[in-house]
Amino acid sequence: MIKTYTYKLKPNKTQAIELQRLLDESRNIYNRGLEQLIAYYKETGKHLNRFAQDKFFNTETCPNIHSGIVNATLDRLHRSFANFFRGWKEGKRIGFPRFQSYRRYSSFSFNYYPSGGKIKDGKWYIRRDYGIKVLLHRPFEGEPKFTRCVKKASGWYVQVICEFPEVEPKPITKESKVVGLDVGLRWFVADSEGNKVYPPKYFRQAEWKLRQAHRRVSKRKKGSKRREKAIHLLALASEKVANQRRDFVHKTARKYADKYDIVVVEELNTVGMLKNHCLAKSISDAGWGLFFSLLDDKLKALGKRLVKVAPQYTSQVCSQCGALVMKSLSQRTHYCPQCLYVEDRDVNASVNILKKGLGQAIGEATPLGELLTREAQ
Ligand SMILES: [Zn+2]
């Protein structure tokens, strides 16, 4: 399992210039490499592989940059090619690797940990004798694999990517605590115990500021200094909103991962959902995809499990008697004419999700059968 630790860098003026230079060099290598791959393909009809390309990017053609950065940049280029080819085979739309402008390209890495980009005594060493001050607000754990430098609107950051050994999954027993989660638009999640987690109020305020920043940029003249400044303020505002969201999602995921042994969620069809424009904004904002992946990581690290189920009928079926009660999106309460059960729409759905998930997991372990009957009672 992989964990990323992010720390703020405190470069002085010359060091900040050096970081920018390394970022530009790395981007340059990426673009040159891409150009070479395209040219080679046009000439021979073949893909130039990573090792063949290695020959062209050595200490002579890239004299002022650590070989670890050169290697990591080429790895990155070939990874994006591999993604493209994989998507092509699977019929998914993954774009052809593109040339990177300075606005898009915001990070570079060292390919291997202690040989390049080592963190020692509160400094990040980009060369053996050249360290940049790091704010290590907490120590990193696990085995560090490599470091990455990221430029954000608020400054420079270093990320330490660490590996952890896989945790043996805990056996499922009668005592296992289970919960089903339903994600919704009015609240972030509703669980099968009737709790709802709302997105915090400060989201609204930050979003308002973000909209204002957008407007400011569009009002200013293209190519002007004032527009550049407005763009920077917009980037700062976006970063803040993203940080707030991630923080909230992390905390919500942590709460469920600590409390339960099995968490059941719906398989999200975000691509299909994003086509519906009314829902699109709130869905992409809600960050459920991130929530599920963080939840999965946190559960795995504790030897617990996340079960995903198909979303069909979870909101329509009565969780008490199994009758099909059709309702529109706007109908917020589930009312069953057959057994007279009344419950909030999303809570009813999360109970259904939980049942479905337990049924699905039955194949894995026998004690779940008893668990399921206990849940049904
Ligand atoms: Zn019913």
Side-chain angles (χ1 to χ4, degrees):
M1 208 186 63
I2 298 290
K3 226 173 171 179
T4 304
Y5 295 87
T6 306
Y7 304 106
K8 187 146 174 91
L9 283 171
K10 284 274 174 191
N12 60 30
K13 263 185 190 163
T14 39
Q15 286 173 334
I17 291 169
E18 176 65 5
L19 286 175
Q20 184 61 50
R21 187 186 73 81
L22 292 175
L23 183 61
D24 292 340
E25 287 274 1
S26 166
R27 182 165 58 88
N28 197 1
I29 288 168
Y30 188 97
N31 287 339
R32 265 161 59 203
L34 180 55
E35 202 181 341
Q36 193 183 33
L37 285 174
I38 293 170
Y40 186 83
Y41 181 79
K42 275 187 181 159
E43 216 172 277
T44 64
K46 282 179 195 155
H47 181 62
L48 186 65
N49 70 44
R50 169 74 174 80
F51 294 105
Q53 200 166 35
D54 232 12
K55 282 184 276 178
F56 299 99
F57 291 91
N58 47 36
T59 41
E60 279 165 35
T61 52
C62 318
N64 300 318
I65 183 164
H66 194 288
S67 64
I69 300 178
V70 178
N71 284 327
T73 308
L74 289 177
D75 285 343
R76 178 175 174 179
L77 174 64
H78 282 264
R79 220 167 26 243
S80 65
F81 259 100
N83 276 339
F84 169 69
F85 287 131
R86 205 197 55 225
W88 192 54
K89 268 183 199 154
E90 292 172 7
K92 281 182 199 156
R93 278 180 157 215
I94 294 173
F96 188 80
R98 50 166 150 179
F99 288 101
Q100 303 285 336
S101 76
Y102 77 98
R103 274 206 207 287
R104 283 178 58 85
Y105 199 86
S106 59
S107 70
F108 66 88
S109 342
F110 286 88
N111 69 332
Y112 194 61
Y113 184 64
S115 62
K118 193 176 182 178
I119 290 188
K120 212 178 100 184
D121 308 327
K123 278 182 174 175
W124 183 49
Y125 284 88
I126 54 174
R127 283 198 296 275
R128 193 174 295 163
D129 53 346
Y130 197 86
I132 295 171
K133 204 175 155 197
V134 187
L135 288 181
L136 283 167
H137 60 278
R138 61 167 175 165
F140 51 88
E141 288 155 7
E143 194 200 337
K145 298 307 271 184
F146 65 95
T147 52
R148 182 193 293 136
C149 179
V150 186
K151 187 190 187 185
K152 295 185 184 177
S154 60
W156 293 93
Y157 293 82
V158 61
Q159 295 182 329
V160 189
I161 289 84
C162 297
E163 199 172 37
F164 287 79
E166 297 291 330
V167 179
E168 264 312 288
K170 276 200 265 175
I172 303 167
T173 62
K174 261 181 147 178
E175 277 72 47
S176 293
K177 284 180 154 180
V178 296
V179 73
L181 302 182
D182 183 42
V183 291
L185 292 176
R186 286 169 91 209
W187 29 78
F188 189 68
V189 286
D191 67 33
S192 51
E193 292 180 358
N195 305 309
K196 287 167 202 152
V197 180
Y198 289 86
K201 275 182 189 155
Y202 55 73
F203 275 20
R204 279 282 158 83
Q205 203 183 352
E207 276 158 10
W208 182 77
K209 277 193 175 160
L210 190 60
R211 274 201 297 281
Q212 226 183 10
H214 261 292
R215 214 169 301 146
R216 199 162 43 217
V217 170
S218 58
K219 271 183 186 167
R220 294 193 175 167
K221 210 170 111 190
K222 275 196 179 165
S224 68
K225 274 263 156 65
R226 294 180 75 231
R227 187 178 160 102
E228 275 302 307
K229 208 172 172 184
I231 288 174
H232 178 69
L233 289 175
L234 171 62
L236 270 180
S238 320
E239 197 185 318
K240 182 164 182 179
V241 169
N243 282 344
Q244 282 180 339
R245 276 214 186 99
R246 208 174 35 249
D247 180 60
F248 164 70
V249 170
H250 260 291
K251 281 175 180 159
T252 313
R254 168 57 60 211
K255 205 177 81 182
Y256 283 107
D258 283 347
K259 203 168 167 190
Y260 299 98
D261 300 303
I262 302 171
V263 181
V264 189
V265 297
E266 272 180 330
E267 196 87 59
L268 279 183
N269 174 17
T270 30
V271 183
M273 282 161 115
L274 284 173
K275 277 184 190 148
N276 180 343
H277 282 288
C278 301
L279 287 180
K281 194 187 176 303
S282 23
I283 288 167
S284 50
D285 279 357
W288 298 319
L290 178 67
F291 175 60
F292 289 171
S293 79
L294 289 178
L295 189 57
D296 196 23
D297 287 348
K298 289 185 201 300
L299 286 164
K300 267 192 193 140
L302 297 167
K304 300 172 170 184
R305 65 190 76 198
L306 182 77
V307 181
K308 284 189 179 176
V309 298
Q312 281 79 22
Y313 297 113
T314 47
S315 57
Q316 311 294 352
V317 170
C318 172
S319 61
Q320 298 303 301
C321 71
L324 198 60
V325 188
M326 297 311 275
K327 42 187 147 336
S328 68
L329 251 183
S330 59
Q331 216 171 318
R332 301 311 309 173
T333 323
H334 167 82
Y335 170 71
C336 178
Q338 204 164 311
C339 69
L340 306 179
Y341 174 63
V342 181
E343 182 52 278
D344 181 275
R345 175 205 176 93
D346 294 309
V347 173
N348 178 57
S350 58
V351 175
N352 282 327
I353 290 170
L354 173 62
K355 285 185 174 175
K356 235 178 165 178
L358 291 181
Q360 198 171 304
I362 269 179
E364 301 177 30
T366 35
L368 255 179
E370 295 163 42
L371 204 68
L372 184 68
T373 37
R374 194 192 72 191
E375 278 307 311
Q377 277 157 13

